[in-house]
Amino acid sequence: MEARVEVSPEQEARRIAAVRRYDILDTPPDGAFDRIAALAARLFDVPVATVTIVDTDRVWFKAAYGLAGVTQVGRDPGLSTSAILTDGPLVVPDTLQDPLARDHTLVTGETRARFYAAAPIVTRDGHRLGTVDVMDTRPRRTTPEQAGALADLAALVMDELELRLTALRMLRVERELVVVEHAARERAERDRAEIAAYAATLQRTLLPPALPEVPGLEAACHYTTASVRDVGGDFYDVFPLGTGRWAFFLGDVSGRGAPAAALTSLIRYTLRSTALLQPDPCAVLRALNAALLSESADGSRFCTLIFGTLVPHPAGGFAITLTGGGHLPAYRLHPARRDGPSQALARAEPVSLPGGMLVGALRQADFTSRPVRLLPGQALFLYSDGLIEARTSRGARFGEESLAAHLTHHAATNRALGAAAIIDDLTVLLDSFAAGPADDVALLALSAATATPTTAPSGASGTAHTSLPLPARHSM
């Protein structure tokens, strides 16, 4: 049991204001929250799991796994109402032995909850909006690992709420700007501006606003969409898995527009939530494959991707496990070595993952993994096919051979292979293509810091930038 936090009327008023700020109460069901509730139930092996928001006089269920027909309960003490008054996860091994929980509706009613555990959903400014709860019909106990996982799921709910709030705010701002613009434009121009604003806003919500800082690693990314009036299907992310472990991925979904955006959202949150619970990268892709097929049984909603996990290596650099889902090979960049007898030329080595199948196309899809050692001074580069399919200033397809040659030249002409420098070099290259890319381009680079860096202290450098094409160049 966590220590109870005393809340004054003024603090409760500010908490309710935070609830209103996220504009989530009484909204329709959402697949992201439903999947989190289902994951919580599976993790604890319980029949009931919920995602709740605590209002002034009720506890409203944003997601309710195993509670058919129940949308809210009164704000009785003992369960969610008590959980938001604790510093961390609340565990009630036997509700009938708890003086507050034993009289709760979910304990005395048809649910017959005898075990209850919850983690509060906490905003960045410290307000507890609600909880992620699990319930069972028999008394039981939890492990510290389970309590930590429940807190991680609550953090995922908060991430989704923040992304949703950002999208709502952006959309409101875009709409206000469009209203001003409409007064001076014809109807057709006004409609095109609305579509462009919506696509840009939705696109931004599908990409991470920034990459996390990983000690000893520099990470950089870039995204260019081929159209200002449509949502692309490329995606990437880097996120922590716990102490000393991180995951990353880059991929491309089938199609464009709203269906591609919905598919990208499903992929991103399935990968993030599953990777927290499943250490095997191939198992993570199998779970994603099942999730995509559950949304579209005919295999029409699929993606290609590379998924990887990384941990610091005791001898320096990182130990990486790469798993392929039918995507283009990654590249590992090696700097030139001129120290003593072990000299070697700079090179860009493709990291192929043969046998990896499309994700979401076949129920019996098979995925392959391979270990990759990223030594200090080396870099790993992932990309989508919009890069190699772009046309150069001479009209020729850029292609994989040209990409390998360009990366090799970069490795040969730069003493330190930093992720940001690699991405900057490739964005300059993209800008040199007169027609611009015909398809979206997603780039992600990871570089291991050298033992004695020349320009920056050892440590993480998380950078991210997203760009939209100029309408005059890439309006089609």
Side-chain angles (χ1 to χ4, degrees):
M1 297 285 289
E2 290 288 330
R4 181 184 176 89
V5 178
E6 294 296 329
V7 178
S8 67
E10 292 78 14
Q11 290 173 318
E12 174 62 7
R14 288 195 293 269
R15 190 194 70 81
I16 291 297
V19 170
R20 300 287 185 268
R21 182 173 75 220
Y22 288 90
D23 198 16
I24 191 69
L25 288 170
D26 300 313
T27 55
D30 186 298
F33 297 100
D34 291 341
R35 284 188 290 275
I36 289 174
L39 279 170
R42 190 179 310 125
L43 174 65
F44 280 81
D45 191 23
V46 295
V48 177
T50 64
V51 176
T52 74
I53 303 295
V54 180
D55 199 0
T56 53
D57 57 354
R58 60 173 176 157
V59 176
W60 178 74
F61 297 117
K62 177 58 183 171
Y65 179 91
L67 283 179
V70 179
T71 60
Q72 63 184 44
V73 294
R75 193 172 163 177
D76 300 327
L79 300 187
S80 294
T81 303
S82 296
I84 65 169
L85 299 177
T86 60
D87 283 327
L90 171 68
V91 179
V92 182
D94 189 344
T95 57
L96 296 184
Q97 303 301 318
D98 187 280
L100 290 177
R102 64 189 178 195
D103 295 325
H104 195 280
T105 303
L106 295 177
V107 176
T108 61
E110 294 182 358
T111 306
R112 300 292 181 187
R114 289 290 304 277
F115 161 80
Y116 174 82
I121 302 166
V122 185
T123 67
R124 293 175 181 175
D125 51 354
H127 297 297
R128 295 165 174 81
L129 305 180
T131 56
V132 174
D133 316 47
V134 292
M135 287 170 266
D136 202 349
T137 56
R138 58 185 177 84
R140 55 187 292 179
R141 296 189 176 275
T142 61
T143 65
E145 290 76 16
Q146 287 177 315
L150 198 58
D152 288 337
L153 293 175
L156 278 177
V157 171
M158 194 66 247
D159 286 345
E160 175 66 14
L161 289 173
E162 290 287 358
L163 285 171
R164 184 179 180 277
L165 178 60
T166 299
L168 288 174
R169 285 175 173 171
M170 288 182 176
L171 191 56
R172 288 164 185 163
V173 171
E174 297 281 356
R175 285 174 176 171
E176 290 172 3
L177 293 174
V178 168
V179 167
V180 175
E181 193 176 22
H182 283 178
R185 294 182 180 272
E186 297 179 358
R187 178 69 185 182
E189 178 63 24
R190 181 176 63 200
D191 290 344
R192 285 195 294 270
E194 287 178 338
I195 294 172
Y198 175 78
T201 300
L202 186 55
Q203 188 76 70
R204 285 193 290 269
T205 66
L206 300 176
L207 299 172
L211 300 183
E213 293 192 353
V214 180
L217 185 80
E218 182 181 358
C221 57
H222 178 81
Y223 187 91
T224 295
T225 182
S227 171
V228 297
R229 293 195 294 271
D230 207 353
V231 180
D234 294 0
F235 57 90
Y236 57 81
D237 204 351
V238 181
F239 57 97
L241 294 177
T243 304
R245 295 183 66 240
W246 290 266
F248 60 91
F249 57 80
L250 182 144
D252 187 3
V253 305
S254 58
R256 293 187 62 82
L263 187 58
T264 299
S265 180
L266 170 62
I267 291 169
R268 185 164 182 251
Y269 283 99
T270 300
L271 288 174
R272 271 179 161 258
S273 57
T274 305
L276 284 170
L277 307 175
Q278 177 55 259
D280 179 10
C282 285
V284 173
L285 262 62
R286 286 194 292 270
L288 176 60
N289 190 67
L292 296 186
L293 285 170
S294 70
E295 294 286 324
S296 178
D298 61 358
S300 61
R301 304 183 70 193
F302 59 86
C303 72
T304 67
L305 68 88
I306 292 180
F307 177 85
T309 59
L310 62 88
V311 296
H313 195 280
F318 292 86
I320 295 177
T321 300
L322 282 183
T323 305
H327 198 74
L328 297 164
Y331 277 91
R332 180 167 50 174
L333 278 65
H334 302 259
R337 294 182 57 187
R338 300 180 180 89
D339 49 340
S342 58
Q343 297 187 13
L345 296 176
R347 67 187 190 280
E349 168 195 12
V351 184
S352 300
L353 294 161
M357 303 175 69
L358 295 174
V359 186
L362 298 171
R363 295 198 176 278
Q364 302 302 321
D366 189 29
F367 306 107
T368 58
S369 293
R370 62 172 289 185
V372 175
R373 176 78 188 282
L374 194 66
L375 296 173
Q378 294 182 346
L380 186 70
F381 174 65
L382 287 72
Y383 62 100
S384 61
D385 57 7
L387 175 60
I388 60 174
E389 291 176 358
R391 297 286 173 176
T392 68
S393 57
R394 298 182 179 180
R397 182 175 178 271
F398 183 55
E400 293 186 41
E401 292 185 4
S402 296
L403 173 61
H406 187 90
L407 293 173
T408 298
H409 177 74
H410 180 90
T413 54
N414 289 268
R415 293 181 61 187
L417 296 180
I422 294 170
I423 296 301
D424 288 344
D425 178 45
L426 288 168
T427 54
V428 171
L429 174 70
L430 285 170
D431 288 340
S432 72
F433 296 161
D439 196 3
D440 302 328
V441 177
L443 311 176
L444 177 63
L446 308 172
S447 60
T450 58
T452 57
T454 58
T455 59
S458 179
S461 175
T463 61
H465 55 279
T466 303
S467 72
L468 296 176
L470 295 174
R473 292 181 57 192
H474 313 306
S475 59
M476 297 302 291

